[in-house]
Amino acid sequence: MDKQREDTSPALEAELRALLGKLDLERKVRLLTGADFWSTSAEPLVGLRSMVLSDGPAGVRGRSFDERDPSLSLPSGAAVGATWDTALASRYGAILGAEARRQGVDVVLGPTINLQRTPYNGRYFEAYSEDPLLTGELAAAYVEGMQAAGVGATPKHFVANDAETDRFTADNQIDERGLREVHLAAFEPAVERARTWLVMSAYNSVNGATMTENPLLRSPLAEEWGFDGVVVSDWTAVRSTEASANAAQDLVMPGPVGPWGDQLVEAVRAGRVPESAVDEKVLRLLRLAARVGALASVSPAVDSPPAPEDGVALSREVAAAGMVLVRNTGELPWDPARLGSVAVVGQNASSARTQGGGSATVRPREVVSPLTGLRAALGEHAVRYRLGATATAGVQAFPPEALTNPVTRGPGVRVRYLAEDGSELSTEDRLASTLVWIGDVPEDTETIELRTVWTAPAGTHRVGAAALGRLRLSVDGADILDVVTRDEGEVLGAAFFRPPSAATPVVLAGGATEIVLRYTGSDPDLPMRAVTLGTQTVLEDPDAEIAAAAALAAESDVALVVVGTDEAIESEGFDRETLALPGRQDDLVRAVAAANPRTVVLVNSGAPVLTPWRDEVAAVLLGWFGGERFGEALADVLLGVQEPGGRLSATWPATGSERSIATGVPVDGVLEYAEGIHIGHRAWLRNGEEPAYPFGHGLGYTEWGLLGVEVPESVTAEEPARIRVELVNIGDRTGRQVVQVYLSRPDSAVERPVRWLAGWAVVDAEPGRATASVLLPQRAFQHWADGDWHIEPGTFTLHVGLSVQHTLWSGPLTVR
């Protein structure tokens, strides 16, 4: 019996039911809606304290977006997916569990395990893979690591929440087989094997029923997979009283106002919702409370969590392990002893994106950019920098080290909360000029004032702000801007995560400059507000700047061009409109490559981008959103201290218009998952289209050979198959390889993918022979039909290789 099943012993269940019996209907119903934005209600009558829930999947933020209480920022889900490493995913979950305990958090709202169904998804960076097997195994490991620390994990968003366009209202139409074999399969291991304590229900509908009312919450989640935890809604996802209460939805967030409360009490008394349904929800909530230690009469599931490892070091390790070297003509790794001058080019080199936007955002103590990381490794004298081209068009925050609080004379910004009549409600001192509030703005706040002294370089600057509402800006006492920005989008909430910018040119002599912004939100009653005070980078002569970058590259031994995306392209609340890099970054890469044949490109994005110059450069490295130690990890990989350990966990398109790319845009409110079981690389193989880089692809710094494959003569339908692969590292250094095993069955009586992932093994080996043992689970051979899982007896073809397209060996495997 596994640990979580021991936690639901008959004795515990009897105790929970005894506590339930002490509560009247009103008290029970009150527990089922949050007490506020981030916590549940307490109930002293049964010794229940409030439980704190927190975003997010790549760092634990706590109750607020407050930079004064920094959080560890780990690489994003896409980077974790690229590691293919379940042991590393478990350590990742464990360190987040330790972070949660440090911050007094009981439940972490992660991992995000929706599939990378389309690269246009604005939230793609949070997810692990386009493949359900790879996603499910990584998610289960994350959950196991986190819950071993005594903190509840929350796989989200159940289910098929794979795009942001119309995410609140879209009805995703998915056939039964695609639903079972692809989208539900990604969640199944985290629930059935890792025994997750919570699951988050999504905004969208599936096959006509919104997920907070969907029968999938009962079957397969509870009845087939044995889920005995809490189904918590995505924030504001519950929009009905009776339909959601009669479903297996347990907890409405946020609170205290919601569609249950008094309405649910009345519905129960009128007989439209049975009280037994309420009792079942409260029991699940009490069971969660018992597990996390929120019930006074019950010992927590984990009394003594293991000592956490160094989270900063782990962030650096994961970032390197997830980097994918997709092209290398022998340029990398660089030898520091033979390396002279390095030209570093690109806006993302100095202002890298290390995490995704939206609810995944945390405030780290420190961020190491690629430029800083390389200078620390090679010395200031060896690394020269040029902007080259911009990656963002919006206002970017002032560097914190350049700001002085005019009141305290310490670092940062003085913030004043003003009522409608201009009177001061409260003040606080902040350390950054990007501020976000979710449910923590003082009551009756009409206007928020930010006042700081910026140590400005001499010259012309475009000073401004990014926020939704009225922006009044003054510089050294002179009013320079008074505008009202509006939400022009159609996606609810998009403007909060991608606020419009306004800026104006200001000529400054340099030195201390007082900046005052008065921000009045477009709807002061909204609990969410966000504002950035800073500058907008606008190149007066883009061609001249690209030419200057190329000239710097020409006079340097090697060049590193860092290209990427920004918050206006990849974030929660909206999808991408194009896969092309923003601005003139493609022109920059081509100009630098033409000037220096030893040009390496680092792609700093959380999702695929188009790389039309990929065959014109010496090497291409995908860095994802690499967490707070991104720059250090990059230096480790470029200089050969660490292997670029990643392999693509999703296909990278060549043009962005291939028919193998699924759409995330509903038509008349309906999003057809027309691909069925043929998701991601399965669609590319079926359509015969050639991507830029295939699923599973990735290069290292050594060469590998295949010596042999050992396969059982046959296996029964009731047992997994174990494959033994003999490899040889024929290089002169330790390397990492991901041995991938695929199945195919071209003569099947059942529709199947051309080839599908069945198992893999991560191998770290010194020069010489190495062995990989790959376990193919029973599910790899099964298909869904007539309401159940089936195995078609006969011969499958086994493919062993280094990507879905690069197979080194094929042979038969018979299933009896």
Side-chain angles (χ1 to χ4, degrees):
M1 183 177 290
D2 63 37
K3 183 172 181 57
Q4 272 63 58
R5 290 194 183 278
E6 290 175 357
D7 290 343
T8 57
S9 66
L12 174 60
E13 291 300 299
E15 171 72 11
L16 298 182
R17 288 192 178 276
L19 295 177
L20 175 69
K22 296 180 180 182
L23 302 175
D24 59 23
L25 178 61
E26 284 79 6
R27 289 176 184 269
K28 289 187 289 191
V29 168
R30 186 175 63 85
L31 292 177
L32 301 180
T33 296
D36 54 33
F37 215 85
W38 297 115
S39 62
T40 64
S41 294
E43 181 46 77
L45 184 61
V46 295
L48 172 65
R49 67 165 172 83
S50 175
M51 291 178 283
V52 177
L53 294 78
S54 171
D55 288 323
V60 182
R61 188 173 59 246
R63 292 175 181 264
S64 70
F65 285 81
D66 196 328
E67 74 289 342
R68 295 168 297 181
D69 184 15
S71 301
L72 176 69
S73 175
L74 296 176
S76 63
V80 177
T83 70
W84 292 59
D85 192 333
T86 54
L88 196 57
S90 180
R91 292 168 58 203
Y92 185 105
I95 198 64
L96 290 179
E99 271 282 289
R101 294 184 73 101
R102 180 184 68 81
Q103 298 189 49
V105 168
D106 300 291
V107 170
V108 172
L109 303 175
T112 302
I113 57 175
N114 298 114
L115 296 176
Q116 293 170 335
R117 177 176 174 267
T118 171
Y120 287 92
N121 182 5
R123 213 166 173 176
Y124 183 107
F125 61 86
E126 282 190 47
Y128 293 149
S129 172
E130 68 188 17
D131 186 81
L133 177 62
L134 180 55
T135 294
E137 292 301 309
L138 291 169
Y142 175 118
V143 169
E144 288 169 347
M146 177 170 288
Q147 293 187 171
V151 174
T154 314
K156 63 181 186 181
H157 309 80
F158 190 81
V159 62
N161 186 224
D162 308 310
E164 293 296 281
T165 302
D166 297 343
R167 64 175 177 163
F168 292 89
T169 58
D171 180 18
N172 297 343
Q173 294 287 327
I174 312 173
D175 68 78
E176 184 72 9
R177 191 172 172 206
L179 186 60
R180 285 285 185 158
E181 293 188 24
V182 176
H183 300 280
L184 289 170
F187 283 84
E188 189 171 355
V191 176
E192 196 167 44
R193 189 171 73 243
R195 311 302 301 170
T196 185
W197 294 347
L198 301 93
V199 166
M200 180 184 286
S201 54
Y203 291 124
N204 56 279
S205 296
V206 170
N207 295 336
T210 187
M211 282 311 305
T212 57
E213 304 170 9
N214 203 291
L216 294 171
L217 296 179
R218 200 170 304 282
S219 180
L221 184 60
E223 294 177 355
E224 294 180 35
W225 298 348
F227 178 65
D228 62 357
V230 170
V231 174
V232 57
S233 72
D234 203 343
W235 268 227
T236 74
V238 177
R239 296 159 229 158
S240 67
T241 300
E242 295 166 26
S244 57
N246 280 316
Q249 176 69 47
D250 299 315
L251 177 61
V252 173
M253 290 298 289
V257 177
W260 285 5
D262 291 342
Q263 303 99 300
L264 180 53
V265 171
E266 190 277 328
V268 172
R269 297 207 188 283
R272 298 190 300 274
V273 176
E275 189 165 356
S276 60
V278 172
D279 289 347
E280 177 61 27
K281 300 176 196 304
V282 175
L283 274 173
R284 288 174 176 269
L285 193 72
L286 293 174
R287 193 176 294 125
L288 171 64
R291 286 167 169 164
V292 302
L295 271 180
S297 61
V298 179
S299 297
V302 180
D303 285 313
S304 301
E309 63 176 301
D310 184 337
V312 172
L314 180 64
S315 184
R316 182 173 180 170
E317 180 184 348
V318 174
M323 289 188 190
V324 184
L325 185 63
V326 292
R327 174 177 170 82
N328 189 19
T329 60
E331 178 61 36
L332 293 179
W334 287 333
D335 183 350
R338 299 181 178 180
L339 197 62
S341 57
V342 180
V344 177
V345 177
Q347 188 172 25
N348 281 45
S350 60
S351 302
R353 285 206 72 189
T354 57
Q355 58 182 322
S359 60
T361 303
V362 297
R363 297 286 184 250
R365 187 176 305 278
E366 180 186 13
V367 172
V368 181
S369 70
L371 180 61
T372 301
L374 274 176
R375 282 178 168 165
L378 296 173
E380 294 276 344
H381 65 283
V383 180
R384 295 179 292 172
Y385 173 71
R386 188 81 196 196
L387 178 68
T390 58
T392 179
V395 168
Q396 300 295 295
F398 292 121
E401 63 272 14
L403 299 180
T404 301
N405 186 311
V407 178
T408 67
R409 300 301 175 187
V413 178
R414 167 55 64 100
V415 179
R416 299 171 68 220
Y417 299 95
L418 308 176
E420 187 175 5
D421 61 4
S423 61
E424 183 178 284
L425 298 171
S426 66
T427 65
E428 61 180 358
D429 298 311
R430 303 294 294 266
L431 299 176
S433 64
T434 290
L435 302 176
V436 177
W437 301 267
I438 298 184
D440 48 3
V441 175
E443 190 175 357
D444 298 325
T445 297
E446 174 77 10
T447 297
I448 301 174
E449 179 187 274
L450 281 65
R451 184 182 298 266
T452 190
V453 175
W454 174 37
T455 303
T460 300
H461 304 273
R462 291 186 63 87
V463 181
L468 185 62
R470 186 180 180 188
L471 305 172
R472 290 169 287 170
L473 188 65
S474 67
V475 174
D476 286 334
D479 295 334
I480 64 168
L481 192 67
D482 187 346
V483 299
V484 176
T485 61
R486 292 180 171 83
D487 180 5
E488 303 296 340
E490 298 179 357
V491 180
L492 182 61
F496 174 72
F497 299 113
R498 181 176 53 179
S501 293
T504 190
V506 180
V507 179
L508 300 176
T513 303
E514 185 179 60
I515 310 288
V516 179
L517 172 68
R518 292 179 179 86
Y519 158 55
T520 303
S522 57
D523 184 351
D525 293 329
L526 283 176
M528 302 190 302
R529 304 188 198 187
V531 62
T532 293
L533 174 62
T535 58
Q536 181 183 35
T537 302
V538 177
L539 296 175
E540 298 298 328
D541 190 342
D543 289 333
E545 180 61 25
I546 289 175
L552 177 64
E555 63 188 39
S556 302
D557 291 330
V558 297
L560 173 69
V561 185
V562 183
V563 297
T565 58
D566 69 356
E567 293 85 349
I569 294 173
E570 291 186 80
S571 182
E572 182 178 351
F574 53 88
D575 287 324
R576 301 165 70 189
E577 298 175 357
T578 176
L579 302 186
L581 287 166
R584 298 281 302 279
Q585 293 183 92
D586 286 337
D587 295 336
L588 174 64
V589 171
R590 285 190 159 123
V592 171
N596 189 325
R598 297 185 64 189
T599 293
V600 174
V601 178
L602 169 69
V603 181
N604 176 210
S605 68
V609 297
L610 302 185
T611 54
W613 32 259
R614 59 187 174 277
D615 295 331
E616 303 170 30
V617 299
V620 179
L621 182 66
L622 310 182
W624 315 110
F625 296 153
E628 62 181 62
R629 316 312 291 189
F630 182 39
E632 293 171 341
L634 174 65
D636 290 342
V637 168
L638 291 177
L639 302 179
V641 177
Q642 295 291 335
E643 182 92 353
R647 301 296 184 267
L648 285 179
S649 61
T651 310
W652 270 50
T655 68
S657 60
E658 292 94 342
R659 61 194 177 111
S660 299
I661 298 175
T663 180
V665 179
V667 177
D668 297 327
V670 174
L671 179 57
E672 293 282 354
Y673 279 49
E675 71 277 8
I677 61 172
H678 302 282
I679 188 171
H681 54 281
R682 302 177 183 182
W684 288 85
L685 290 173
R686 181 180 62 168
N687 294 330
E689 292 182 301
E690 187 71 23
Y693 302 113
F695 177 82
H697 173 66
L699 308 172
Y701 291 156
T702 186
E703 296 294 325
W704 296 83
L706 179 67
L707 297 178
V709 178
E710 184 179 312
V711 181
E713 287 187 10
S714 65
V715 295
T716 67
E718 289 74 35
E719 63 181 321
R722 186 171 295 277
I723 311 302
R724 183 182 175 92
V725 181
E726 295 291 335
L727 302 167
V728 58
N729 176 355
I730 57 179
D732 58 1
R733 58 171 289 157
T734 298
R736 165 167 284 205
Q737 187 56 267
V738 178
V739 178
Q740 301 159 42
V741 177
Y742 298 87
L743 290 173
S744 66
R745 184 119 182 223
D747 61 347
S748 175
V750 179
E751 180 190 4
R752 297 183 185 275
V754 173
R755 194 175 302 135
W756 65 95
L757 183 68
W760 71 92
V762 177
V763 179
D764 294 292
E766 297 177 348
R769 297 172 68 99
T771 301
S773 180
V774 184
L775 188 68
L776 309 188
Q778 183 182 7
R779 183 61 58 79
F781 301 95
Q782 294 177 330
H783 65 276
W784 182 266
D786 302 322
D788 204 353
W789 292 101
H790 301 272
I791 290 181
E792 180 187 16
T795 301
F796 291 76
T797 301
L798 203 67
H799 308 268
V800 178
L802 307 182
S803 81
V804 73
Q805 292 185 357
H806 184 195
T807 55
L808 304 173
W809 180 93
S810 296
L813 176 60
T814 300
V815 178
R816 303 192 304 274

